Amino acid sequence: GVPKDGGVIMLNLWNKRFLLSAFAVAIVAAPLAAQTGQVARIIQTNSGGTNAHLIDPETHEVLAVIEGLPHVHGVAEHPEGLYYYFSNEMHSTVDIVDTRTLEGVGHIPLSGRPNNVAMSKELRKLYVAIRSAPYVDVIDVDTHEVIETVGMQRGVHNVYVTDDSRYAVASLAPGPDTPEGPSIEIIDTNTDEI
């Protein structure tokens, strides 16, 4: 079930396979969120539109609609809950939204069109899967700047950070020239190298 005491669930209207991983993320995040006093929320992104919905998992009520987010795919929360970071496929940016006002406060340019994102709260880094180019961009969440672009063998659809924040796992997107070959690459989050 959906945790009652904390965590953020991230969903995408166009990627139903992500639903299962989103619930897994929420379940893993629930104990940490309960310790910090955060409230659980589901964030439904909309890669075919211009908004995202903030939903209460207990009541299933839409609490707010965050506007001005064209073609957002992935979302992650700032380590202290100050911001939401949305990957924007239309503008090849990460859009920053203040969690208190739900207003956009900035954009971080990326090396290409992004898909999903993952946060390392311990290292204060956001990992962004770049689908249109063979990269994972690494953002420092204190400066809101790309601090590294990690080369991959091909474009990346998903990226996950392990529970201990030691590794970022990049799920490579299949390509017509590369039907064979590795399906994931592992980034050491201390060095941001493969």
Side-chain angles (χ1 to χ4, degrees):
V2 176
K4 296 181 180 177
D5 57 353
V8 174
I9 301 172
M10 300 153 289
L11 305 174
N12 185 295
L13 290 172
W14 297 101
N15 191 349
K16 293 183 182 185
R17 290 178 291 163
F18 187 59
L19 179 62
L20 183 57
S21 3
F23 280 111
V25 167
I27 292 167
V28 170
L32 177 60
Q35 294 170 15
T36 62
Q38 293 178 344
V39 177
R41 295 291 180 249
I42 298 169
I43 299 176
Q44 174 68 59
T45 64
N46 182 357
S47 63
T50 61
N51 59 26
H53 291 76
L54 194 64
I55 302 166
D56 183 319
E58 288 186 30
T59 66
H60 303 248
E61 177 185 352
V62 174
L63 302 173
V65 178
I66 305 170
E67 299 291 349
L69 298 171
H71 302 269
V72 292
H73 193 104
V75 61
E77 185 178 38
H78 184 272
E80 282 82 41
L82 301 175
Y83 305 105
Y84 295 129
Y85 298 97
F86 292 91
S87 58
N88 180 322
E89 293 181 304
M90 177 180 271
H91 300 296
S92 296
T93 59
V94 165
D95 295 348
I96 308 165
V97 172
D98 184 300
T99 57
R100 292 172 304 268
T101 65
L102 300 181
E103 297 290 328
V105 295
H107 309 281
I108 303 167
L110 300 170
S111 62
R113 182 176 61 84
N115 271 144
N116 285 316
V117 298
M119 179 66 69
S120 169
K121 291 186 178 195
E122 292 78 13
L123 298 174
R124 307 183 67 74
K125 296 178 186 178
L126 180 68
Y127 289 82
V128 183
I130 304 299
R131 179 66 171 96
S132 65
Y135 304 119
V136 170
D137 282 350
V138 184
I139 296 171
D140 179 315
V141 298
D142 293 321
T143 64
H144 289 155
E145 294 179 2
V146 175
I147 57 171
E148 189 68 53
T149 297
V150 183
M152 300 281 133
Q153 291 189 30
R154 59 183 182 268
V156 180
H157 187 269
N158 294 314
V159 63
Y160 303 97
V161 174
T162 57
D163 288 343
D164 61 7
S165 285
R166 290 181 59 199
Y167 303 102
V169 181
S171 170
L172 304 180
D177 340 341
T178 56
E180 302 296 322
S183 59
I184 64 170
E185 290 194 64
I186 310 296
I187 302 168
D188 179 323
T189 56
N190 285 313
T191 62
D192 290 325
E193 295 177 353
I194 302 286

